[in-house]
């Protein structure tokens, strides 16, 4: 049987922080030049998203396991 856990306010706060971070990271590829995203902007976006996703996953696992 699966037991359900209540969502804590800290989890919601960290989710909000990460959503804001994701929105700021996507602003890196917002500006296109002649219909193409510049390569440097896309690389910065990809690295930023990898960092944000990885830190979000680590925080979520830590909170679910020990929180």
């Amino acid at each position: 049987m699966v037991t359900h856990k209540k969502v804590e306010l800290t989890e919601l706060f960290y989710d909000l922080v990460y959503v804001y971070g994701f929105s700021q990271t996507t602003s890196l590829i917002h500006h296109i030049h002649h219909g193409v995203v510049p390569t440097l902007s896309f690389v910065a976006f990809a690295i930023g998203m990898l960092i944000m996703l990885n830190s979000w996953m680590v925080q979520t696992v830590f909170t679910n396991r020990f929180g």
Side-chain angles (χ1 to χ4, degrees):
M1 176 178 244
V2 176
T3 60
H4 295 282
K5 180 177 98 76
K6 288 182 68 173
V7 176
E8 299 290 328
L9 288 177
T10 55
E11 292 176 88
L12 294 175
F13 174 74
Y14 281 117
D15 285 345
L16 182 63
V17 168
Y18 285 117
V19 166
Y20 178 74
F22 290 135
S23 70
Q24 292 302 306
T25 305
T26 56
S27 69
L28 293 171
I29 58 170
H30 178 71
H31 301 289
I32 59 174
H33 300 288
H34 305 293
V36 177
V37 175
T39 305
L40 186 59
S41 295
F42 182 76
V43 169
F45 165 76
I47 291 171
M49 286 301 281
L50 285 173
I51 291 170
M52 289 294 296
L53 282 170
N54 189 28
S55 62
W56 183 41
M57 292 296 180
V58 168
Q59 179 64 37
T60 301
V61 168
F62 181 80
T63 302
N64 286 337
R65 185 172 291 172
F66 301 112

